[in-house]
Amino acid sequence: MTMPTFRAAVPFVAVLVAGCASARPATQGPEAAEPDRPATEGVVVRINQIGYLPDGQKVAVACAVDASTLTEFEVLHESGRSMLGPAPVAASGGFGPCTTTWRLDFSNVREPGRYHVIARGPQLEVRSRTVRVDARAYQGAADTLLAYMRQQRSGFNPYFRDSVHKLDGIIVDDPQREGQFIPVSGGWADAGDYLQYVTTSATATFQLMMSYRDHPNSFGDAFDARGLPGANGVPDVLDEARHGLEWLLRMFPSDDQMYNQLGDDRDHRYLDLPTTDSSDYGWGKGMERPVYPCTGRPQGLMQHKNRSTGKASTAGKYASAFALGAQVFGERDPEFAARMAERATAAYEVGREFPGVCQTAPASAPYFYEEDNWVDDMELGAAQLHALTGEQRFLREALEYARQEPVTPWMGSDTASHYQWFPWHNNGHHEIWRAEAALESERRELAGYYRQGLDGVARRADNGFRVGIPFIWCSNNLMASFATQALLYRRMTGDEQFQELEMAALDWLFGTNPWGVSMVVNLPHDGVWSKDPHTDVARQFGPESQTGGLLDGPVYRSIFESLRGIHLSDPDEYAAFNTGFIVYHDDFGDYSTNEPIMDGTANMAYLLSAMFSGR
Ligand SMILES: [Ca+2]
Ligand SMILES: [Ca+2]
């Protein structure tokens, strides 16, 4: 995500954000996607707006925002035919704005069709939005996410049909090369701002390729390599992954030049489009952007510094993306694959030589991605190098790293620092498990690590929505990662004990949450989704420009209220649901809950492609 507090931390920027917002032209979304008028009292019934698989778990959650109670529910076919119930309901306690919740399980409705869930209480009858039960409910969903990735492209941007950030960039924080130009145009903007990080970009690239490797039939081909409409014989998810890989190759051009970041928080000084980015890094507005290497030392050109200790967090991510890239592109483009295989090994050796974290660099504000773990990244890199080369050494080292951090530390906790444990789940355990040379005892050990993390979250999920993640910034990322880890665990073991929570996390992201909002912009198109995402592109071109983008998601009220410079631009249409310990605002002014994020979007590709492939 953007680390948007940068904006809040620079007072005149905050004023600018608010000023732009108040001058914002009224935009109208498509009529089909207009939000429900949220009830100000009574009960609402929330559903997964994408739909449910015929043989899958199906749960709607009813939420009372006053003292209303329910006694029964029924599922009606759109023809009016009763499919289930009336059945008694059982209360699941309060959560957030909901004084009471009820889980309405209609898993037995297996016939494909369109339905309504009806909840009834004394003098009360509430109807859900239309519920889809359809084996193909997730068809095309993963590809929809790619629309956001294309819109985020730097270099040639197919949304604008123009090149953006052509002058990237000039090397900084490097005594030998300071001030030199290096051609590193490409990649993706991180969020609503235009900074670019290897941390998030390499992870996103990896996740796109992993999604394709494991669920190739979930992806289509309707765009070319530049992201313009028109098939090119390459699945679009690989077009997008290649766009990421090519940028990563530019950012690690030789063994002693490992770059980590393009641009810095001086980007936040002006609110503008990627095509007209007027950031001034000391060489004039709209000129070159700074390129930061990993140095293994605390970094920051101005008064603030990060706490970097090494290079391995970034090196491991390079190694894993390149090594998987070499496998995925091996047959399509042997030359490209060979270059990545060579770079993968080189990156991994940098990580061996410089253990520790390479955090993002702050400039004029004290905020950065406070990543504190690196063994997860080296584990994934080693696992992928083993998959690529078959060398036993890499498998052994992957296992050594796995044992140093069995559980991603936020799991089971109620808070964490900003991007402290990234990636949000560790794909490394699954990738070692896939290795033919792994022993059965090692596979059980790795699955046990995943189970420990899932257990930690599950213990906190004693609410009607069955969610147990902490609502720190980017809670949607945590939700998606929890669901992904649960899916990987289920695949590795056949143990379905977390499946209810896995589906609850997915349902949450697509509308089974107190606000009844899909957390992915314009998905499904006829659902309820953000009309005022926090990006200047959306402000000028409408929310559909952000199609496919995963929002940051709800945060603890305490976080929202502690942010400086945050002002909602409009009356809160979800005010009735922002009375509890977590809040979400569909408002341009809320940079904490309503900003689309590139890394989270790529993470979703795995889940949605799995849902279509039948997992
Ligand atoms: Ca294509
Ligand atoms: Ca890490």
Side-chain angles (χ1 to χ4, degrees):
M1 64 171 286
T2 301
M3 294 178 288
T5 42
F6 292 178
R7 295 193 173 111
V10 184
F12 71 86
V13 175
V15 169
L16 182 63
V17 170
C20 291
S22 61
R24 178 176 56 111
T27 54
Q28 249 5 122
E31 197 168 343
E34 280 299 296
D36 290 340
R37 186 54 48 200
T40 52
E41 57 183 9
V43 175
V44 290
V45 177
R46 301 309 196 194
I47 61 160
N48 180 329
Q49 296 170 19
I50 288 191
Y52 300 86
L53 302 181
D55 294 327
Q57 171 184 297
K58 304 173 197 75
V59 175
V61 176
C63 157
V65 294
D66 60 14
S68 298
T69 63
L70 295 181
T71 52
E72 63 176 39
F73 82 105
E74 186 172 10
V75 177
L76 299 181
H77 187 266
E78 62 182 346
S79 68
R81 178 166 45 114
S82 179
M83 302 296 293
L84 184 150
V89 297
S92 276
F95 181 76
C98 312
T99 52
T100 313
T101 56
W102 296 265
R103 288 179 71 73
L104 313 178
D105 189 330
F106 58 104
S107 301
N108 288 336
V109 177
R110 294 193 167 86
E111 185 183 320
R114 294 163 71 87
Y115 305 94
H116 291 280
V117 177
I118 314 293
R120 299 193 188 97
Q123 285 91 48
L124 183 74
E125 178 169 299
V126 183
R127 170 177 288 245
S128 72
R129 295 175 64 82
T130 301
V131 174
R132 271 187 290 262
V133 174
D134 184 350
R136 304 182 80 78
Y138 287 81
Q139 183 169 25
D143 274 334
T144 297
L145 303 171
L146 301 178
Y148 176 74
M149 301 299 287
R150 286 189 290 270
Q151 182 273 145
Q152 289 295 102
R153 282 196 189 192
S154 196
F156 180 77
N157 183 304
Y159 183 82
F160 293 97
R161 291 181 180 253
D162 194 2
S163 288
V164 304
H165 294 118
K166 290 172 251 201
L167 301 174
D168 296 332
I170 288 180
I171 298 167
V172 296
D173 199 15
D174 178 342
Q176 271 78 49
R177 300 186 178 87
E178 182 107 33
Q180 290 178 16
F181 178 81
I182 178 171
V184 292
S185 182
W188 303 284
D190 206 45
D193 57 0
Y194 309 128
L195 277 75
Q196 295 182 231
Y197 305 110
V198 169
T199 304
T200 44
S201 301
T203 301
T205 302
F206 183 90
Q207 286 167 331
L208 293 176
M209 290 188 289
M210 185 180 170
S211 304
Y212 176 76
R213 182 197 67 190
D214 292 352
H215 320 117
N217 297 329
S218 298
F219 295 96
D221 174 21
F223 294 86
D224 68 14
R226 301 176 85 199
L228 293 170
N232 63 345
V234 178
D236 298 339
V237 68
L238 293 188
D239 287 322
E240 210 54 41
R242 183 165 185 148
H243 180 75
L245 288 166
E246 287 175 348
W247 184 67
L248 294 172
L249 286 170
R250 284 178 209 122
M251 292 286 283
F252 182 44
S254 67
D255 295 5
D256 66 345
Q257 284 179 280
M258 178 172 280
Y259 297 100
N260 194 49
Q261 176 173 328
L262 177 53
D264 62 38
D265 62 55
R266 285 171 282 179
D267 177 273
H268 299 159
R269 199 156 300 192
Y270 304 103
L271 193 62
D272 42 26
L273 295 171
T275 43
T276 58
D277 184 6
S278 50
S279 302
D280 185 345
Y281 293 100
W283 307 294
K285 277 192 184 185
M287 297 302 285
E288 290 87 350
R289 298 194 291 173
V291 186
Y292 288 78
C294 285
T295 62
R297 297 180 302 277
Q299 284 178 284
L301 296 181
M302 300 165 88
Q303 67 269 43
H304 303 290
K305 302 273 186 263
N306 67 20
R307 295 187 297 274
S308 289
T309 57
K311 303 184 182 183
S313 60
T314 290
K317 293 186 186 79
Y318 271 118
S320 50
F322 288 145
L324 181 55
Q327 296 166 71
V328 168
F329 286 91
E331 289 183 11
R332 290 176 182 277
D333 189 339
E335 200 177 318
F336 182 51
R339 172 143 174 76
M340 285 190 287
E342 184 271 322
R343 290 283 80 195
T345 311
Y348 185 74
E349 294 308 330
V350 170
R352 296 291 287 182
E353 188 178 352
F354 300 96
V357 290
C358 173
Q359 299 176 333
T360 65
S364 59
Y367 304 99
F368 53 92
Y369 284 175
E370 302 179 56
E371 186 176 2
D372 269 341
N373 57 354
W374 56 271
V375 295
D376 56 336
D377 307 299
M378 289 297 284
E379 175 190 345
L380 185 59
Q384 281 306 325
L385 278 166
H386 173 72
L388 177 66
T389 66
E391 284 182 38
Q392 289 302 304
R393 171 207 157 189
F394 293 123
L395 183 60
R396 194 181 68 247
E397 290 174 359
L399 277 160
E400 286 167 6
Y401 287 126
R403 288 167 183 145
Q404 291 180 53
E405 187 184 276
V407 178
T408 304
W410 68 262
M411 293 188 176
S413 164
D414 62 3
T415 193
S417 298
H418 194 50
Y419 277 63
Q420 186 176 7
W421 312 115
F422 186 82
W424 312 97
H425 72 277
N426 182 355
N427 281 314
H429 297 349
H430 175 257
E431 297 301 299
I432 301 174
W433 172 86
R434 290 180 87 248
E436 276 181 28
L439 304 175
E440 269 315 304
S441 59
E442 291 163 347
R443 292 204 173 99
R444 278 196 300 277
E445 177 187 350
L446 294 159
Y449 295 162
Y450 275 162
R451 187 175 58 244
Q452 281 180 51
L454 297 169
D455 266 331
V457 178
R459 274 196 294 275
R460 298 164 42 88
D462 56 347
N463 53 70
F465 291 97
R466 296 289 187 270
V467 297
I469 62 140
F471 284 91
I472 53 175
W473 250 348
C474 299
S475 69
N476 283 340
N477 268 343
L478 275 59
M479 202 70 83
S481 268
F482 171 78
T484 308
Q485 180 160 319
L487 162 64
L488 298 178
Y489 171 77
R490 186 159 54 81
R491 189 181 287 163
M492 289 159 68
T493 61
D495 178 356
E496 299 188 341
Q497 66 168 304
F498 299 108
Q499 194 166 13
E500 182 189 10
L501 273 62
E502 176 192 337
M503 295 314 300
L506 187 75
D507 290 348
W508 172 279
L509 291 168
F510 290 100
T512 312
N513 55 55
W515 308 270
V517 175
S518 168
M519 294 290 158
V520 177
V521 178
N522 205 356
L523 184 65
H525 178 64
D526 62 358
V528 179
W529 39 272
S530 171
K531 295 304 179 298
D532 295 304
H534 178 82
T535 90
D536 199 43
V537 178
R539 197 176 60 85
Q540 298 202 32
F541 294 90
E544 294 83 357
S545 67
Q546 304 300 296
T547 292
L550 177 72
L551 303 173
D552 292 330
V555 295
Y556 290 128
R557 167 179 303 285
S558 55
I559 290 180
F560 177 76
E561 290 182 347
S562 70
L563 295 171
R564 287 175 297 152
I566 199 161
H567 300 286
L568 299 189
S569 313
D570 299 311
D572 178 10
E573 61 267 59
Y574 296 105
F577 303 100
N578 283 326
T579 59
F581 76 106
I582 49 176
V583 296
Y584 163 76
H585 306 100
D586 182 11
D587 194 288
F588 175 76
D590 187 357
Y591 54 76
S592 72
T593 72
N594 207 35
E595 178 172 16
I597 42 179
M598 185 276 291
D599 60 317
T601 300
N603 191 3
M604 287 298 295
Y606 197 82
L607 276 183
L608 295 187
S609 58
M611 286 300 287
F612 180 68
S613 76
R615 330 177 71 147

